[in-house]
Amino acid sequence: MAPTAEDGEPSVRQAAPTVTTQPGRSPLAGAVAPGGRMPRWLPRAMVLALALIAAFQLGSWAFHQLTGLLINILIAFFLALAVEPAVSRMAARGMRRGLATFLVFFGLTVVIAGFVTLLGSMLAGQIIKMVEGFPEYLDSLINWTNQTFHTELKRVDIQEGLLHSDWLRKYVQNSAAGVLDVSTQVLGGLFQLLTVGLFSFYFAADGPRLRRGLCSVLPPARQAEVLRAWEIAVDKTGGYLYSRGLMALISGVAHYILLEIMGVPYAPVLGVWVGLVSQFIPTIGTYLAGALPMLIAFTVDPWYAVWVLGFVVVYQQFENYMLQPKLTAKTVDIHPAVAFGSVIAGTALLGAVGALIAIPAVATLQAFLGAYVKRYAVTDDPRVHGHRSRTPSGPGALTRARRLWPGRRPGGRAGA
């Protein structure tokens, strides 16, 4: 039976409140379409996400493939900045900029080719001399070994054992197999050199056009900043190369005088070698440059090699603490610790190329940021000058130590 109220009429159950919705709108609009279908925006979002992932992967692959080209362009840009003052000076006198750039690069090519030719002839002559004198060196070594260790070694036995050894056979096989690899590396190096030369020539010859094209896509306020940064980069790069060239000249003359006094052959070429390599190869350039003069001096007298090593070490200290700070203060103006850190960072990022361009790049960035950093007057505090301030109030360290000493009395007598 249906439940009834007290007056006998059937009771009406109150219905639960219902949510009124607009016709054609689902309560879960935006999440699930009517009828459980996929929302319209979801396929487009999925396609957009996949497209972004594909674009990122493609860009990453292209960047890794073009890393070598980008490094060559970076080298060419800094080389163009280095020759920019000479090219601009010649162009200001009425010469066409393209012809001025060609003359500058032609002069650099002649100087480098002449130096490499002289160095190659020197090395070839010394190698021939060492090969011809190798039997005498071997005899002297065998005699010293027999007298010192009481052995009975003979040069013929050593030569026969060396010629029939497995080590020599494997070395010859590996050398023959690596000839193709060496040829490939040489061709690749020549292609990279040609690429750097072409890009640097275009950057130097079309420098004004490049600056106009870059400024044309920037507002006037940004154009002034870009031109200022470009001018700072030219000054710092040119100043860096100027200071390095001057230190290379001083180093080359100093080592040439030493080698000439000792009678070491090819002293002028060795002096030029030490000057260039020690200055334009950071960190290890000095020791790499000193290895060749030591080797040549060893062929004259073994003690001469020791003298050359000592002179290289002493001159390096003189250059680091006396010569380099004075020459680079007005050109590069960068702290030695910052320069050393920048060389390490550049080497970690780009290898030898990064080590070479790290200092002018950091000097340019430092000079550009220094023009926009607001500086204040430094307070006149002793701690600024490295002096610790002493407060007169309070007991000294000795008094505090006496107070902490067990059994001591104020009168200075030990307790009983």
Side-chain angles (χ1 to χ4, degrees), residues 120-134:
S121 62
M122 180 200 67
L123 289 177
Q126 291 300 318
I127 290 174
I128 293 174
K129 183 178 179 180
M130 292 178 63
V131 170
E132 292 177 351
F134 181 74

Side-chain angles (χ1 to χ4, degrees), residues 267-287:
V269 181
L270 289 176
V272 176
W273 162 264
V274 173
L276 293 179
V277 175
S278 62
Q279 300 304 322
F280 291 98
I281 298 181
T283 308
I284 63 172
T286 301
Y287 307 102

Side-chain angles (χ1 to χ4, degrees), residues 39-365:
R40 295 180 179 179
W41 58 267
L42 187 57
R44 292 195 297 268
M46 295 176 62
V47 170
L48 181 60
L50 293 176
L52 291 177
I53 294 175
F56 176 78
Q57 294 291 337
L58 181 62
S60 177
W61 172 82
F63 178 78
H64 287 292
Q65 294 295 324
L66 298 176
T67 301
L69 178 61
L70 296 177
I71 293 176
N72 292 334
I73 293 176
L74 183 62
I75 299 173
F77 179 72
F78 273 93
L79 183 59
L81 291 179
V83 302
E84 176 76 18
V87 174
S88 299
R89 192 175 297 111
M90 296 173 66
R93 295 181 178 179
M95 185 179 297
R96 290 189 304 171
R97 193 174 181 87
L99 180 59
T101 306
F102 173 77
L103 292 178
V104 172
F105 277 95
F106 181 76
L108 291 176
T109 304
V110 170
V111 172
I112 294 174
F115 173 71
V116 172
T117 302
L118 291 176
L119 185 63
S121 62
M122 180 200 67
L123 289 177
Q126 291 300 318
I127 290 174
I128 293 174
K129 183 178 179 180
M130 292 178 63
V131 170
E132 292 177 351
F134 181 74
E136 298 179 1
Y137 296 143
L138 185 59
D139 288 337
S140 62
L141 179 61
I142 291 174
N143 293 332
W144 179 81
T145 305
N146 292 333
Q147 294 176 2
T148 305
F149 300 101
H150 305 286
T151 57
E152 297 181 356
L153 298 176
K154 297 181 180 179
R155 188 178 70 179
V156 178
D157 298 336
I158 295 177
Q159 290 178 350
E160 290 293 332
L162 183 62
L163 291 175
H164 294 87
S165 62
D166 295 335
W167 173 83
L168 182 61
R169 188 184 308 109
K170 293 180 180 179
Y171 179 77
V172 172
Q173 292 176 356
N174 294 332
S175 299
V179 170
L180 182 61
D181 296 336
V182 172
S183 302
T184 304
Q185 292 179 0
V186 170
L187 292 177
L190 292 176
F191 180 76
Q192 290 182 357
L193 185 62
L194 180 62
T195 302
V196 171
L198 288 176
F199 274 105
S200 58
F201 179 84
Y202 290 139
F203 285 153
D206 293 339
R209 184 184 303 176
L210 181 61
R211 287 190 287 269
R212 288 195 301 269
L214 183 61
C215 292
S216 63
V217 297
L218 297 174
R222 298 296 181 184
Q223 293 179 13
E225 296 180 0
V226 169
L227 294 177
R228 177 180 176 82
W230 193 293
E231 192 67 24
I232 291 175
V234 171
D235 293 339
K236 293 300 180 180
T237 305
Y240 172 74
L241 293 180
Y242 168 76
S243 60
R244 287 292 173 177
L246 187 56
M247 287 191 295
L249 178 62
I250 298 174
S251 176
V253 171
H255 288 84
Y256 162 73
I257 294 174
L258 174 68
L259 297 175
E260 189 69 25
I261 292 175
M262 293 189 300
V264 178
Y266 302 101
V269 181
L270 289 176
V272 176
W273 162 264
V274 173
L276 293 179
V277 175
S278 62
Q279 300 304 322
F280 291 98
I281 298 181
T283 308
I284 63 172
T286 301
Y287 307 102
L288 182 63
L292 183 59
M294 288 175 55
L295 179 62
I296 305 301
F298 184 83
T299 60
V300 179
D301 190 344
W303 283 105
Y304 285 178
V306 179
W307 282 104
V308 172
L309 176 60
F311 183 81
V312 168
V313 174
V314 172
Y315 181 82
Q316 179 65 24
Q317 303 306 316
F318 166 75
E319 181 182 281
N320 290 338
Y321 294 101
M322 298 293 295
L323 187 62
Q324 183 175 353
K326 294 182 179 180
L327 292 179
T328 59
K330 297 181 179 180
T331 55
V332 181
D333 192 17
I334 184 173
H335 195 273
V338 178
F340 183 71
S342 63
V343 169
I344 294 178
T347 305
L349 293 175
L350 300 177
V353 176
L356 186 61
I357 67 176
I359 294 179
V362 172
T364 302
L365 182 61

